[in-house]
Amino acid sequence: MSRAIELPIILRDVAEPSNPPADSLSDELLREQRQLTAVEEFARAESSGEMPAQAKYYRSLLPAAPPGPGQQYAFDVDLDRCSGCKACVTACHTLNGLDEHETWRDVGLLVGGTTSLPVLQHVTTACHHCVEPGCLEACPVNAYEKDQLTGIVKHLDDQCFGCQYCTLACPYDVPKYHAKKGIVRKCDMCSSRLAAGEAPACVQACPHEAIRIQVVDVEQAVEAAEADNFLPAAPDPQITLPTTTYRTRRVFPRNTLPADYYSVNPQHPHWPLVLMLVLTQLSVGAFLVALALEYALSVDLRDTWRAMHAPFALGCGLLALAASTLHLGRPHLAYRAILGIRHSWLSREIVAFGLFAALATTYCAAVSFPIDAIQPFRGPLAWSVAVVGVVAVFCSVMIYVATWRECWNFPRTALRFGLSMGLLGATASSFTLLLLSSVASSARIQALAAEAVPLTLRLLAVLAAAKLLWEASAFFHLSSRRMTAMKRSALLMAHPLSHMALARFALGLLGGIVLPLLVIINGGHSGTVEWIVMLGMLAGACVLGEILERYLFFAAAAAPRMPGGIR
Amino acid sequence: MTRVLDNLLPVLHTKDGPFTRELLQEPGKFGLGMLPAKSEPQATTQSVCGYCSTGCGLTLHLRNGEASGLTPTTDYPVNLGMACPKGWEALRVLQAEDRATSPLLRDGGRQPREISWDEAANTFVKRMRAIQQRHGPDSVAFISTGQMTTEEMAFLGAFAKFGMGTRHGDGNTRQCMATSVVAYKQAFGFDAPPYTYADFEESDVLVFIGSNPCLAHPIMWERVMRNPHDPKIVVIDPRMTETAMRADLHVAVRPKGDQVLLYGVARLLIENGWINQDFIEAHTHGFQKFVDFVQPYSLEHVEQETGITAHAVRRLAETIHQGERVSFWWTMGVNQSHQGVRTAQAIINLALMTGNIGRPGTGANSITGQCNAMGSRLFSNTTNLLGGHDFANSEHRRKVASILEMDEALIPRELGWPYHRIMEGILRGEIRGLWVICTNPAHSWINQHFAQDVLGRLDFLVVQDMYTTTETARMADLLLPAAGWGEKDGTFINSERRIGVIKKVTRAPGQALADFAIFRLLAHHWGCGDLFRRWTSPENVFQLLKELSRDQPCDFSGIADYGAIEAAGGIQWPYRDAEQDAGTERHLFSDGRFFHQDGKARFLFEEPRPLPEPASEEWPFTLLTGRGSASQWHTQTRTAKSDVLRKLYPEDPYVEVNPSDARELGILPGDLITVRSQRGVLEAKVHVASTMQPGQVFMPMHYDVTNRLTHPTFDPYSSQPAYKACAVRLEPHA
């Protein structure tokens, strides 16, 4: 190897480094590193507070006049200019001072077409400031306001108590729950910027001027939604009447799909809601089955029966209400839930269950402490507990129906919750009867059990079989060629959630069918330890099975969303 | 009663409170508009962005003298108040848990231990010297970057070559624009991208070749979108990209079919007389030979080689002919090729023969990659002697030595090895000590397993980086903690030759030092402090660089200082004085004079060569790699540190496959499959889209696994690795 240059002279006196004390320089360098560029050298003089410099570029992206009557502000996205750089997302994040992980805007991707004419279209999206906002309708504490003048759907952060119902109700996945703060936050179209004549963060930061603010006639927005003239593969605009306009000169091919179309992701399971739903349905179901049983029992056993079942059913109900508050980000504001009674099914549910708890407590007192004065009201009281309970469960059903998700539509949800109620009620009755009859030797209780247990166990087995069949029928959607919402749910249960699904069906079979049949066939070995263990297993399997069923109800619910990116 | 209600109502329904106030905005000062009240700036200062070569101006918001946020600068001539996500998040990535905060020494395979800077510098000197004494001065080398300031590049290059006495050093710029450098040098006589961004707005035809500015240079695309002339846009790219979607004509050429296609277009232009004979005669050299050369590139031949129909080639030629101001733009699709230099020159030929150069809205324009690739091109002291000079030219050596007040004999008389030869040198035991600065070869070098194996063979690997967790830093014997963009001063030169200033607006963590300070410290410990006695601050070095540039095509000796650069909104070279070089947007060659002795540009061409690794029965797919999103930068050393940026791209590696290929292989969208080449294997999720042609698949380069597959072939002139095409197999999982 030839070498063209001489070694530098320095190399020759390695043995005797002529360095001055070295630490002085490294200390000096570290000191220098701490000193920042002198600000006064470069800092700009404060400007005289006129319009922001950027206004010259975004002025043309804002409407000339504010909305008049019957009009509102709306985002207008020119898809032919959206290149997918996603600067809007980061600008929104920065200029709104959001937390590190938090974003209010999102950019999805549509792909489709053929090899000779492929289509690739990024789509920037934020809140659509809908004419009939799902979030606002759903909110139990009126933490949403649709501004009278601008039509902007604004979230009142300090009013929010963190129930997250709006995150289920918005078809576009717009409100985002901020777990640390215990509230939801969302895009307000930078309303304070608009009020000052400035452009929203995304509008001023889009390098390609793809986003602008326009004034739309509300009628026009409704018409566009009705004509389904929104965006391919986006959720049905007829649900909330979004006002955003997506414009393009292109005709999207029929096969245009979001890049994340085939990806299925388990949703948030909302554990407190799972417990709350199962326990409230158990409680209401217990009262209903008990009431029905009264009519099948000999008259002299009825009082005994009432005093036996009521405390247990009430206990479950109260436990459910306690669980439900765990779901709130700010439970100390739970009292605000009354505000949304006129429009929010969640408000209604909370009020109905509150009433249910009060009535059930009164009823429980009435049957436990035989005070003569109350006795005439006992019958009507029992009926009102049952009726209010059913109404409350109906409210629960409607909470999910109102989200317009296919897997949560009325027949599906009502059947699920209704069967749960009956099944868990039968379980509660069976369990109470069998347990007491095996520990108490009173002849009256033995007689009661002999009469009632076959009925409740048969009811349990029938309802459990019906419910399991119904739930299993969801897997039929796997054969669907199209990626429907129901197929997504089935895929979720078949794949990422398969352990949960398997456990759910195993427990359902065990507690709802196998064990009840065993008890019916073998009769009583009442009093033995095995017997009590089996009873515990029966009840436990039924309740746990329903808890898992409800977990899947949330986790395997395909949520509508705007087109997403490659996942 | 009403009083009770009044008291009760706010409890029940409140519109104000701590959460509301948290997001409160206040009227902005400094012309910034409304900003979150909690981060309202007390002062602002200017800087340019430290990611890509666009060189956007960023306004840094200061609170108590330190940066608290940033917004893109409205009146900076590059970006007009815009930035891509990387720029918006530039400060965020400085705060990361894996920042290197102290020099780390690994002795004997154990966990590295923290040492002082003096121990680090002494170790560096002792170990490097020991290697040099045993194996010769050239047995140590450095691999640097396009991300440091020009002053730092110069310091590193001068210290390594004049101080340490090694001949070998190269940069990751070899991976991105070496091809353009050589193409320009040979064709124009100097490495001189001729354009200014205003050309994007002034063209009536823009031809993009192997370039996806929508994702790779979104702010350049901004300028295209602001073109008021309703321009025709042509995109030559095997893939349907975001940019191709906006094109009037997308020419989905076969991978590396571009050169044949361009020759075919040249033939057609000549055949139809759609050329500028006057310009050719006055300002070019070698046209007649080129005319003869392109004769065989008939429409049939082109179609056979590239898959592009005669009709499309004709449309392409017509579009170029009909344009008044045609500009040609290329990026990595051309540069990262086994024949990139000649392909780039095929583009230059088109511009020359149609006279589309030297006028507004024209040019054969290479869009560079990194924020200071252009600074590295002139001052890294690797591919040329400081300031675009020639190591072999004694006059040049004398000039440099006299400006730097040093012994001319210290300047090597020949070029050092390029990157791939350095890697090969390590393998052969010729190079034993390597100093890697501000780059991540264990991730980014082509054929990654080989690169990691090679780096593992070194006697001494020094890595100088901001983070301890890069693939290369984890292999280091000695890790030197560096301050990053925002934590140091200096200048960058962007793609349009604009010099911009960066500022130290936030404090580096722990003991981290600016690369400039590290070079000072090491030079001092090496014992050549005297050689660098004037190199005490970046701005002092800038004054030296000015002198070095004098009388070169890149002469910027007319710039007073950093303050002048900032006041002017960046200054493009050449800048000799305000009179000769007036204007904030200047392109080159207005007078038709190129930098060759005779003032003429050269037509350069060569028979195209086939793909080095074509698809075969066993390896039926051609893998293309490239940028995946505007939110990812290279090996993601920085961009992966921002929560927001991470939300903007797919977390896991994915491979884009044409639907017909997917069907044939029986793979479904979202499936995890194995992708294998002769060199490596990886797992990736399938993204099915007709944006890919059948037989071709695409993977973003940012994922740490992608380069396991790439095939190490290099352009013979530029030694740039050909990342863009290699043969792979897709294996569905059972």
Side-chain angles (χ1 to χ4, degrees):
Chain A
M1 196 182 72
S2 71
R3 199 159 50 77
I5 54 159
E6 278 293 291
L7 261 186
I9 299 157
I10 319 132
L11 253 184
R12 295 188 187 127
D13 49 38
V14 163
E16 189 199 339
S18 58
N19 300 349
D23 52 0
S24 61
L25 179 61
S26 63
D27 288 347
E28 185 194 324
L29 292 174
L30 281 168
R31 243 189 333 273
E32 270 177 26
Q33 187 66 50
R34 312 300 299 167
Q35 289 165 3
L36 304 183
T37 313
V39 172
E40 57 274 23
E41 216 176 304
F42 294 111
R44 308 208 139 183
E46 194 170 331
S47 77
S48 51
E50 294 153 13
M51 276 307 280
Q54 199 62 26
K56 65 180 171 195
Y57 292 117
Y58 63 62
R59 197 166 287 134
S60 62
L61 304 174
L62 296 177
Q71 293 183 316
Q72 74 161 81
Y73 281 135
F75 284 117
D76 175 287
V77 176
D78 185 347
L79 291 174
D80 297 337
R81 300 187 80 88
C82 178
S83 69
C85 75
K86 312 189 185 181
C88 50
V89 181
T90 45
C92 166
H93 167 82
T94 302
L95 295 179
N96 284 310
L98 304 188
D99 280 357
E100 172 59 341
H101 62 281
E102 211 179 3
T103 49
W104 287 351
R105 191 163 262 287
D106 213 344
V107 179
L109 176 65
L110 294 171
V111 288
T114 59
T115 301
S116 55
L117 212 59
V119 165
L120 168 71
Q121 177 65 59
H122 292 274
V123 181
T124 177
T125 169
C127 176
H128 298 305
H129 300 280
C130 304
V131 175
E132 292 175 6
C135 54
L136 185 150
E137 294 291 314
C139 182
V141 298
N142 291 352
Y144 285 91
E145 285 183 338
K146 188 161 174 71
D147 190 275
Q148 296 261 315
L149 293 174
T150 62
I152 291 173
V153 179
K154 212 171 169 214
H155 181 256
L156 306 172
D157 293 353
D158 283 289
Q159 177 62 12
C160 176
F161 71 163
C163 72
Q164 303 158 60
Y165 184 26
C166 54
T167 67
L168 301 178
C170 171
Y172 307 103
D173 193 21
V174 166
K176 296 282 190 315
Y177 184 59
H178 192 306
K180 240 190 227 158
K181 299 187 192 298
I183 57 165
V184 155
R185 305 213 280 195
K186 73 173 268 296
C187 157
D188 69 341
M189 207 187 259
C190 291
S191 50
S192 48
R193 287 199 172 86
L194 278 173
E198 295 182 21
C202 52
V203 174
Q204 51 174 298
C206 174
H208 315 318
E209 303 177 310
I211 312 170
R212 61 175 68 221
I213 302 297
Q214 62 170 352
V215 169
V216 292
D217 293 331
V218 171
E219 274 312 306
Q220 197 188 315
V222 175
E223 267 171 41
E226 280 169 0
D228 201 3
N229 182 18
F230 185 48
L231 182 80
D236 184 352
Q238 303 203 38
I239 300 173
T240 63
L241 310 175
T243 61
T244 305
T245 310
Y246 285 103
R247 281 188 294 122
T248 173
R249 276 176 304 178
R250 221 180 293 280
V251 178
F252 285 112
R254 251 176 80 91
N255 66 352
T256 304
L257 291 174
D260 64 345
Y261 185 71
Y262 292 98
S263 82
V264 287
N265 298 304
Q267 300 291 305
H268 195 291
H270 298 288
W271 277 111
L273 290 185
V274 169
L275 290 180
M276 176 262 172
L277 286 172
V278 170
L279 290 174
T280 50
Q281 282 155 32
L282 191 160
S283 179
V284 175
F287 278 110
L288 284 180
V289 171
L291 187 61
L293 208 54
E294 280 188 30
Y295 292 89
L297 288 176
S298 321
V299 180
D300 57 331
L301 293 175
R302 286 181 190 170
D303 274 343
T304 317
W305 172 229
R306 286 184 196 119
M308 268 168 64
H309 83 80
F312 178 76
L314 175 66
C316 290
L318 295 177
L319 205 61
L321 296 189
S324 70
T325 60
L326 292 179
H327 188 247
L328 298 181
R330 300 203 290 164
H332 62 284
L333 301 176
Y335 60 87
R336 287 182 179 169
I338 188 115
L339 291 181
I341 192 85
R342 284 164 61 186
H343 54 84
S344 168
W345 282 106
L346 183 55
S347 282
R348 292 167 190 163
E349 187 206 39
I350 292 169
V351 168
F353 274 120
L355 190 58
F356 169 77
L359 289 170
T361 310
T362 316
Y363 174 75
C364 198
V367 298
S368 306
F369 311 106
I371 305 163
D372 288 346
I374 313 180
Q375 295 316 312
F377 303 105
R378 207 181 52 198
L381 204 53
W383 275 100
S384 53
V385 170
V387 170
V388 172
V390 170
V391 168
V393 171
F394 175 77
C395 292
S396 294
V397 170
M398 289 312 293
I399 285 177
Y400 301 96
V401 173
T403 65
W404 290 89
R405 296 187 186 185
E406 206 185 329
C407 52
W408 288 351
N409 68 10
F410 186 78
R412 290 197 177 99
T413 312
L415 207 54
R416 225 177 238 265
F417 289 11
L419 284 172
S420 275
M421 202 158 60
L423 180 155
L424 289 167
T427 310
S429 293
S430 309
F431 181 69
T432 320
L433 287 164
L434 289 166
L435 186 70
L436 286 180
S437 69
S438 62
V439 293
S441 51
S442 129
R444 190 176 277 270
I445 289 178
Q446 295 302 335
L448 174 63
E451 259 187 55
V453 166
L455 291 174
T456 57
L457 281 181
R458 283 199 178 89
L459 179 67
L460 170 59
V462 169
L463 290 177
K467 186 154 193 285
L468 288 173
L469 277 174
W470 167 246
E471 286 172 33
S473 72
F475 288 103
F476 279 117
H477 292 280
L478 285 177
S479 64
S480 165
R481 274 177 180 275
R482 263 185 204 289
M483 194 71 169
T484 58
M486 290 311 291
K487 182 171 179 177
R488 274 175 214 279
S489 291
L491 277 172
L492 280 168
M493 286 199 288
H495 177 51
L497 303 174
S498 59
H499 295 305
M500 285 293 199
L502 211 63
R504 186 278 165 278
F505 284 103
L507 288 170
L509 271 175
L510 182 71
I513 298 172
V514 176
L515 292 178
L517 288 182
L518 271 180
V519 176
I520 292 168
I521 293 162
N522 289 348
H525 304 283
S526 179
T528 62
V529 176
E530 292 81 12
W531 175 250
I532 293 176
V533 168
M534 189 161 86
L535 279 185
M537 276 173 61
L538 183 147
C542 282
V543 174
L544 202 58
E546 289 309 294
I547 287 176
L548 291 186
E549 177 266 311
R550 210 48 49 94
Y551 166 88
L552 292 170
F553 174 77
F554 285 104
R561 58 189 180 215
M562 287 297 279
I566 299 169
R567 273 168 214 262
Chain B
M1 183 65 201
T2 41
R3 179 164 300 172
V4 173
L5 254 181
D6 282 349
N7 286 333
L8 199 63
L9 267 181
V11 178
L12 270 179
H13 200 240
T14 174
K15 298 191 176 191
D16 195 13
F19 286 132
T20 308
R21 285 194 285 275
E22 207 173 298
L23 294 180
L24 205 66
Q25 292 160 13
E26 273 177 12
K29 299 164 186 162
F30 315 106
L32 291 174
M34 298 194 76
L35 288 170
K38 60 187 172 187
S39 59
E40 190 76 14
Q42 298 159 337
T44 64
T45 189
Q46 298 301 308
S47 187
V48 291
C49 181
Y51 282 104
C52 88
S53 68
T54 308
C56 297
L58 299 177
T59 299
L60 295 157
H61 306 179
L62 305 170
R63 277 169 86 88
N64 307 318
E66 199 157 354
S68 61
L70 63 80
T71 41
T73 311
T74 300
D75 48 11
Y76 199 68
V78 168
N79 50 317
L80 321 179
M82 300 296 167
C84 79
K86 299 186 289 292
W88 278 100
E89 287 289 291
L91 286 166
R92 172 69 59 189
V93 302
L94 300 176
Q95 303 153 18
E97 293 201 341
D98 58 347
R99 279 299 296 270
T101 53
S102 163
L104 293 174
L105 180 67
R106 193 191 313 268
D107 22 20
R110 282 172 291 127
Q111 280 295 312
R113 64 183 169 91
E114 294 191 356
I115 56 172
S116 72
W117 268 112
D118 288 319
E119 191 182 347
N122 284 329
T123 308
F124 180 93
V125 172
K126 205 175 82 196
R127 301 275 307 263
M128 287 294 190
R129 275 219 171 114
I131 291 171
Q132 283 184 311
Q133 282 176 331
R134 207 154 152 221
H135 303 284
D138 292 339
S139 59
V140 299
F142 69 87
I143 296 287
S144 80
T145 182
Q147 305 280 141
M148 281 191 308
T149 65
T150 313
E151 294 78 359
E152 290 170 335
M153 306 240 181
F155 207 150
L156 170 63
F159 169 53
K161 295 211 168 174
F162 310 152
M164 294 171 69
T166 181
R167 205 160 39 105
H168 305 311
D170 202 4
N172 63 8
T173 41
R174 182 71 65 182
Q175 293 158 280
C176 81
M177 55 4 94
T179 286
S180 298
V181 173
V182 177
Y184 278 141
K185 254 188 202 170
Q186 292 180 347
F188 296 161
F190 195 79
D191 172 22
Y195 60 99
T196 183
Y197 295 156
D199 290 325
F200 283 121
E201 298 176 1
E202 282 159 359
S203 301
D204 59 358
V205 174
L206 295 110
V207 184
F208 291 92
I209 303 123
S211 180
N212 185 15
C214 281
L215 290 194
H217 301 92
I219 303 305
M220 294 198 202
W221 187 249
E222 170 195 346
R223 304 296 294 269
V224 178
M225 294 298 277
R226 285 170 197 231
N227 184 316
H229 307 292
D230 190 20
K232 290 259 179 299
I233 294 173
V234 178
V235 172
I236 301 175
D237 196 311
R239 291 192 297 144
M240 170 55 85
T241 63
E242 286 77 4
T243 311
M245 272 304 286
R246 264 78 212 162
D248 299 274
L249 176 62
H250 172 214
V251 184
V253 68
R254 268 182 213 144
K256 296 301 123 220
D258 42 8
Q259 197 174 339
V260 172
L261 173 72
L262 294 165
Y263 289 151
V265 172
R267 180 184 188 262
L268 208 55
L269 290 171
I270 294 166
E271 209 172 76
N272 290 312
W274 293 342
I275 55 176
N276 187 331
Q277 202 66 50
D278 294 342
F279 185 89
I280 293 168
E281 271 165 31
H283 304 297
T284 70
H285 188 271
F287 182 62
Q288 196 46 53
K289 281 196 183 132
F290 182 58
V291 171
D292 299 339
F293 170 80
V294 295
Q295 278 322 300
Y297 293 87
S298 63
L299 291 172
E300 298 73 36
H301 179 68
V302 170
E303 179 162 1
Q304 196 185 340
E305 292 291 309
T306 67
I308 302 304
T309 60
H311 174 70
V313 182
R314 260 195 226 105
R315 258 191 78 193
L316 175 53
E318 271 165 22
T319 308
I320 293 171
H321 168 61
Q322 284 158 5
E324 294 278 325
R325 299 173 304 281
V326 185
S327 56
F328 300 86
W329 308 85
W330 79 86
T331 316
M332 298 312 148
V334 168
N335 286 350
Q336 294 177 335
S337 152
H338 67 289
Q339 51 188 9
V341 170
R342 291 294 180 250
T343 308
Q345 285 164 345
I347 299 167
I348 294 173
N349 293 346
L350 290 184
L352 291 175
M353 66 198 277
T354 54
N356 277 304
I357 196 154
R359 292 181 291 121
T362 66
N365 307 327
S366 146
I367 302 174
T368 285
Q370 305 180 74
C371 55
N372 201 23
M374 290 289 290
S376 135
R377 281 153 86 151
L378 292 178
F379 288 104
S380 65
N381 211 22
T382 53
T383 51
N384 58 61
L385 178 59
L386 295 170
H389 293 92
D390 187 353
F391 283 107
N393 183 322
S394 63
E395 215 169 291
H396 283 181
R397 290 199 302 275
R398 200 168 313 130
K399 172 183 169 190
V400 170
S402 110
I403 290 168
L404 299 183
E405 295 175 8
M406 60 180 274
D407 180 2
E408 192 192 319
L410 293 177
I411 301 178
R413 287 154 200 246
E414 58 188 80
L415 279 180
W417 286 340
Y419 203 143
H420 74 293
R421 184 63 187 84
I422 291 174
M423 297 297 271
E424 195 186 318
I426 300 170
L427 196 63
R428 293 186 184 184
E430 295 160 331
I431 290 196
R432 306 289 185 127
L434 187 70
W435 182 13
V436 176
I437 304 104
C438 197
T439 186
N440 189 9
H443 177 312
S444 66
W445 190 245
I446 198 160
N447 188 9
Q448 192 188 83
H449 285 317
F450 167 84
Q452 289 170 353
D453 172 41
V454 163
L455 294 174
R457 289 166 187 250
L458 287 159
D459 292 348
F460 189 44
L461 173 62
V462 183
V463 177
Q464 186 168 319
D465 204 287
M466 290 168 66
Y467 303 95
T468 58
T469 52
T470 75
E471 285 75 5
T472 315
R474 282 195 229 119
M475 303 179 75
D477 298 302
L478 177 64
L479 180 74
L480 304 176
W485 175 93
E487 299 166 344
K488 58 186 186 179
D489 297 308
T491 58
F492 290 154
I493 308 179
N494 81 351
S495 223
E496 49 163 4
R497 311 179 314 284
R498 185 180 304 277
I499 301 167
V501 179
I502 66 162
K503 299 235 181 82
K504 184 155 63 165
V505 287
T506 178
R507 289 183 177 83
Q511 308 273 300
L513 285 177
D515 296 287
F516 189 89
I518 299 175
F519 300 141
R520 260 187 92 188
L521 185 70
L522 294 177
H524 173 77
H525 280 258
W526 194 276
C528 53
D530 188 50
L531 187 59
F532 298 103
R533 67 186 175 283
R534 290 189 295 157
W535 300 50
T536 50
S537 72
E539 188 145 19
N540 288 349
V541 171
F542 182 76
Q543 296 300 332
L544 294 176
L545 303 184
K546 269 168 58 180
E547 287 314 307
L548 288 166
S549 77
R550 192 182 289 278
D551 299 329
Q552 288 286 93
C554 62
D555 190 339
F556 55 86
S557 57
I559 300 177
D561 54 16
Y562 286 178
I565 298 174
E566 181 168 334
I571 297 178
Q572 287 172 303
W573 66 254
Y575 188 82
R576 291 151 293 188
D577 56 56
E579 214 162 284
Q580 286 186 78
D581 301 303
T584 48
E585 292 258 18
R586 288 178 288 125
H587 57 83
L588 301 179
F589 310 130
S590 309
D591 55 0
R593 276 199 65 78
F594 293 89
F595 298 121
H596 282 297
Q597 283 288 318
D598 59 3
K600 291 185 171 182
R602 303 283 188 272
F603 278 92
L604 295 156
F605 43 86
E606 191 175 81
E607 198 64 46
R609 289 174 294 125
L611 264 185
E613 195 181 61
S616 62
E617 206 169 309
E618 199 182 349
W619 309 96
F621 290 94
T622 299
L623 169 71
L624 317 179
T625 68
R627 194 171 293 278
S629 74
S631 313
Q632 288 162 292
W633 181 248
H634 290 184
T635 67
Q636 300 213 71
T637 306
R638 280 186 288 168
T639 45
K641 304 296 190 290
S642 150
D643 282 354
V644 171
L645 293 183
R646 273 203 312 277
K647 280 173 114 172
L648 301 183
Y649 55 81
E651 189 182 345
D652 302 314
Y654 69 92
V655 57
E656 210 167 317
V657 184
N658 180 278
S660 65
D661 288 333
R663 200 173 307 114
E664 204 162 299
L665 289 162
I667 51 182
L668 295 170
D671 279 1
L672 200 63
I673 61 161
T674 297
V675 188
R676 190 187 299 275
S677 81
Q678 298 199 52
R679 295 152 296 280
V681 59
L682 58 81
E683 287 196 337
K685 274 191 180 173
V686 177
H687 171 55
V688 177
S690 34
T691 47
M692 296 307 299
Q693 292 293 311
Q696 297 170 22
V697 297
F698 172 79
M699 280 193 73
M701 65 180 184
H702 315 285
Y703 299 105
D704 58 353
V705 291
T706 307
N707 276 316
R708 289 178 188 173
L709 306 177
T710 46
H711 180 226
T713 46
F714 304 89
D715 181 277
Y717 306 99
S718 69
S719 301
Q720 180 155 353
Y723 284 98
K724 290 298 181 198
C726 72
V728 297
R729 192 158 73 204
L730 306 187
E731 297 168 2
H733 289 184

